[in-house]
Amino acid sequence: MRDVTTPATTDWRVTVVGEDRRTLTAEDVPESAWATRDVRVECSTGDRYDATWRGVPVGDALDGASPSPDTTHLVFESDSGYASCVPLGDAIGGVVAVERDGDPLADVEPYATRFVASGVDGARFVKGVTEVRAVTLEPGEDAEEYETLELDSPDYEKSEG
Ligand SMILES: Nc1nc2c(c(=O)[nH]1)N[C@H]1C(S)=C(S)[C@@H](COP(=O)(O)O)O[C@H]1N2
Ligand SMILES: [Mo]
């Protein structure tokens, strides 16, 4: 399905919300701005696999949206409503992946984007990420209140793991 005028990766769009709001698209993020991460996907059921992911570094994506210096967590939200809330320090080294093991996600999965980061459990690797939001939690505030890990679209039925 590729031709010479269309880049390998299918259409995707992710809005990053800090003090500013910035939308990243497949068209305006060049591959030269991508990074590669080897990240294990591990479910609480014990299923796991290792993969090499390429995509937009979370830190770079965030920088463009002028996050508050008080930011403590990032909320990753999918178009299905599934959402995870990850401590900034864990999320910042991750990527909004658009490729896994050399394949555009959109070619092999029903979603085109996915958050992954080392040291974060697989349940928080939101598939079909459409929004990344910087939030500031008060001390003692529960990150899980910002999450919707159960609500799932059947479109995202796991193909493995
Ligand atoms: N949007 C969305 N993302 C999701 C899920 C989901 O149901 N919906 N399941 C999560 C869970 S519980 C796990 S363990 C991993 C599974 O990823 P895999 O399909 O690559 O094994 O995706 C996570 N990301
Ligand atoms: Mo899971």
Side-chain angles (χ1 to χ4, degrees), residues 66-154:
S66 310
S68 158
D70 299 329
T71 301
T72 60
H73 290 70
L74 297 182
V75 174
F76 297 87
E77 205 167 301
S78 83
D79 45 11
S80 70
Y82 195 95
S84 69
C85 182
V86 179
L88 180 63
D90 294 338
I92 199 83
V95 291
V96 175
V98 296
E99 264 187 30
R100 181 182 58 209
D101 295 335
D103 296 320
L105 286 172
D107 285 0
V108 291
E109 297 285 359
Y111 49 89
T113 59
R114 179 164 196 187
F115 164 64
V116 295
S118 291
V120 175
D121 56 291
R124 295 193 163 80
F125 293 173
V126 175
K127 302 171 183 179
V129 180
T130 50
E131 188 170 291
V132 180
R133 199 165 69 248
V135 295
T136 304
L137 272 60
E138 300 301 327
E141 201 179 355
D142 191 352
E144 288 179 19
E145 283 171 23
Y146 290 75
E147 297 185 315
T148 312
L149 297 177
E150 305 303 332
L151 177 66
D152 189 21
S153 155

Side-chain angles (χ1 to χ4, degrees), residues 2-87:
R2 293 179 193 173
D3 64 44
V4 287
T5 55
T6 311
T9 305
T10 322
D11 258 5
W12 54 263
R13 154 180 306 257
V14 177
T15 299
V16 186
V17 184
E19 284 175 347
D20 298 332
R21 194 183 177 87
R22 178 191 179 208
T23 297
L24 307 174
T25 69
E27 266 176 22
D28 52 40
V29 179
E31 271 195 50
S32 58
W34 293 3
T36 304
R37 301 274 188 274
D38 292 320
V39 178
R40 169 168 297 187
V41 179
E42 190 156 18
C43 181
S44 52
T45 61
D47 288 340
R48 69 181 77 99
Y49 65 93
D50 295 311
T52 299
W53 307 84
R54 290 177 73 224
V56 186
V58 170
D60 293 351
L62 192 61
D63 280 347
S66 310
S68 158
D70 299 329
T71 301
T72 60
H73 290 70
L74 297 182
V75 174
F76 297 87
E77 205 167 301
S78 83
D79 45 11
S80 70
Y82 195 95
S84 69
C85 182
V86 179

